[in-house]
Amino acid sequence: MKPPLHILAVPNEDGFGPSALLSYVVKELLAQRPGSHATIWNRARADYNRSLCRDLIATGRVNVEPVNNLIQLAKDASTGEVSIAGTLALIGDYRAASDRYAADARPDDFDLVVEFGVPAAARWAAKHGIPCVSICDHAWGRTLDMIFADAKEPLTARQCTQWRSLIAAIRRDESLTRKLFLFPEFISPPLFRAHWRRVAPRAVVRRLSGVLGGTAAWNKQQAREYLGLAMPGRIVMIQGGDTPAWDALLQRLVPAFLDASSELEARRLNVAFYIPRRLAGRGNVRRLADPVVARRCPRVRAFAPVPGGTTQELFPFVDLLVTRAGGGTVNDAVACRTPFVCVRERSQSQVEATLAACMRRGLTRVVDSEALEADPLRTIFAEVSRARDNRRMAAVMKAIPNHVERELAREISSAMTALLAGQVEG
């Protein structure tokens, strides 16, 4: 009988993806270690983490605490691009914050730390002698350097110095990583593995053999009911996540599809939009909530994050996903064998690197930005019509193992069993 563990799970603050991806691992660890408990630290997405694990919270096996994990990118509200000035203001003095990180926590409460892109948590675990497993799709010390190299916003000499100091402080924390699992190269391009080799030469760095998850608990009818799509036909999902980089695009796309009801009917095509909460009542997007518009155009709907799960409950029933190449989205699409096409995000170098890696693997293609700007409706119809190419992408995905959280959890669990046995014997 394996002894129960108290696991500290720490997803970074930047977006939904880290929390969603780490949830697959946490749930699997708890399934393999009966009686174990997980505490999740995250402030920006605390409610989302509560939703992801609501069933486990109800049974007392998970609790979520709003601890700030320090790193979060700020986006310019008008352009959606990464803002160095805004990010510096949002993070503040990282080195001081890392020194104070989780100062009130009780290290003895935890047997294991599993962190996803939170270098301060790896440092905290090393400081207190707690075994720590790191999982990441990139490396902040490299990503922030790429953002700085590509920055177009005017910066003062002081801001440039602050950004370099931020990178140096993060790399200091990254150097304390001891066991790291990176995603396959189409999610974690080689430049990130090279970074980890440089900054954490003592770390054991391995690549996951595939992607996390891949089985929906919902069936097709449940997914369609959740999306509010009662009409038969194919489903296109348009989902850019929570980034403001998509705000202007959504304001163009939503009315284009709402005003194309007859053409959607002729094509038997349904369109589901993910609309961030901050955008729901603004501009053209608010038309999605108008009941009169909804009756007139029953094939276009908005949806919110899936309660108790991730978009993997929906992706198996989607014919084409229009998205960005974020690590979480790519993982979930590949795991569910859902064809996807990507809109570029040139101000986010990490996303662009992932997109390039996915294209080399034949997993996606880029939506023509100029065509999308000029005629969003025709551009997306054209992508849907490339049925043979979309099937080819899905076929490439089928060769990639999914549910690798099972083997990852087994490895972590076995290592912890051996460690605890050694402590008892000692």
Side-chain angles (χ1 to χ4, degrees), residues 25-282:
V25 180
V26 170
K27 290 177 180 180
E28 187 61 32
L29 277 169
L30 294 178
Q32 292 187 20
R33 305 286 297 220
S36 295
H37 180 275
T39 295
I40 299 172
W41 284 354
N42 187 280
R43 187 177 71 181
R45 309 293 172 179
D47 288 342
Y48 181 58
N49 278 281
R50 293 186 185 102
S51 173
L52 287 169
C53 297
R54 66 176 188 176
D55 294 341
L56 290 166
I57 291 172
T59 59
R61 299 197 68 194
V62 169
N63 68 291
V64 179
E65 297 179 0
V67 174
N68 179 14
N69 293 321
L70 307 187
I71 303 176
Q72 189 175 4
L73 297 177
K75 304 287 182 73
D76 184 286
S78 61
T79 66
E81 295 184 351
V82 175
S83 167
I84 286 179
T87 299
L88 287 171
L90 186 62
I91 294 176
D93 186 341
Y94 175 88
R95 186 176 290 272
S98 178
D99 289 342
R100 296 190 305 268
Y101 180 74
D104 297 330
R106 292 162 50 100
D108 291 344
D109 288 348
F110 304 109
D111 302 304
L112 168 69
V113 175
V114 183
E115 62 91 5
F116 193 111
V118 186
R123 180 169 182 250
W124 183 83
K127 176 181 177 181
H128 295 289
I130 308 171
C132 180
V133 173
S134 300
I135 307 167
C136 204
D137 55 345
H138 66 116
W140 283 114
R142 184 72 176 91
T143 293
L144 296 181
D145 202 29
M146 295 162 68
I147 289 171
F148 185 65
D150 294 340
K152 295 180 177 60
E153 67 181 297
L155 298 171
T156 65
R158 184 170 184 271
Q159 287 170 330
C160 293
T161 299
Q162 287 177 314
W163 194 260
R164 294 188 186 98
S165 296
L166 171 63
I167 292 172
I170 287 173
R171 289 180 176 179
R172 175 199 66 167
D173 288 357
E174 288 177 337
S175 72
L176 295 169
T177 300
R178 289 296 174 262
K179 191 172 185 65
L180 170 68
F181 289 90
L182 286 174
F183 283 77
E185 288 191 0
F186 57 86
I187 295 177
S188 300
L191 64 96
F192 295 117
R193 184 184 180 98
H195 169 87
W196 284 108
R197 289 296 191 195
R198 286 193 302 273
V199 301
R202 295 174 56 193
V204 176
V205 181
R206 289 181 46 198
R207 283 203 182 273
L208 297 175
S209 62
V211 291
L212 307 177
T215 302
W218 291 0
N219 58 34
K220 184 175 183 178
Q221 181 178 346
Q222 288 173 307
R224 293 182 74 97
E225 286 177 356
Y226 181 75
L227 292 170
L229 297 172
M231 307 294 285
R234 294 172 295 174
I235 298 175
V236 175
M237 180 176 283
I238 299 176
Q239 183 210 258
D242 200 30
T243 175
W246 274 58
D247 288 5
L249 177 61
L250 288 171
Q251 294 287 4
R252 294 197 307 275
L253 289 175
V254 167
F257 281 97
L258 286 175
D259 295 336
S261 181
S262 58
E263 188 159 6
L264 290 172
E265 186 59 37
R267 293 173 179 268
R268 291 170 58 87
L269 187 65
N270 299 288
V271 182
F273 284 97
Y274 172 70
I275 304 296
R277 186 180 301 174
R278 69 172 184 282
L279 201 62
R282 290 167 46 192

Side-chain angles (χ1 to χ4, degrees), residues 307-334:
T310 70
T311 48
Q312 287 200 13
E313 302 298 346
L314 305 172
F315 279 6
F317 314 108
V318 170
D319 296 279
L320 183 68
L321 173 65
V322 180
T323 188
R324 65 195 285 269
T329 301
V330 172
N331 176 93
D332 289 353
V334 172

Side-chain angles (χ1 to χ4, degrees), residues 370-392:
E370 291 184 4
L372 189 64
E373 178 77 26
D375 194 340
L377 199 68
R378 300 296 156 204
T379 302
I380 292 179
F381 282 162
E383 296 294 343
V384 176
S385 298
R386 296 177 64 173
R388 181 179 297 178
D389 292 336
N390 295 340
R391 287 194 298 270
R392 187 180 298 117

Side-chain angles (χ1 to χ4, degrees), residues 407-422:
E407 64 185 62
L408 176 57
R410 281 194 296 269
E411 181 170 342
I412 295 171
S413 181
S414 296
M416 287 303 301
T417 297
L419 178 63
L420 294 173

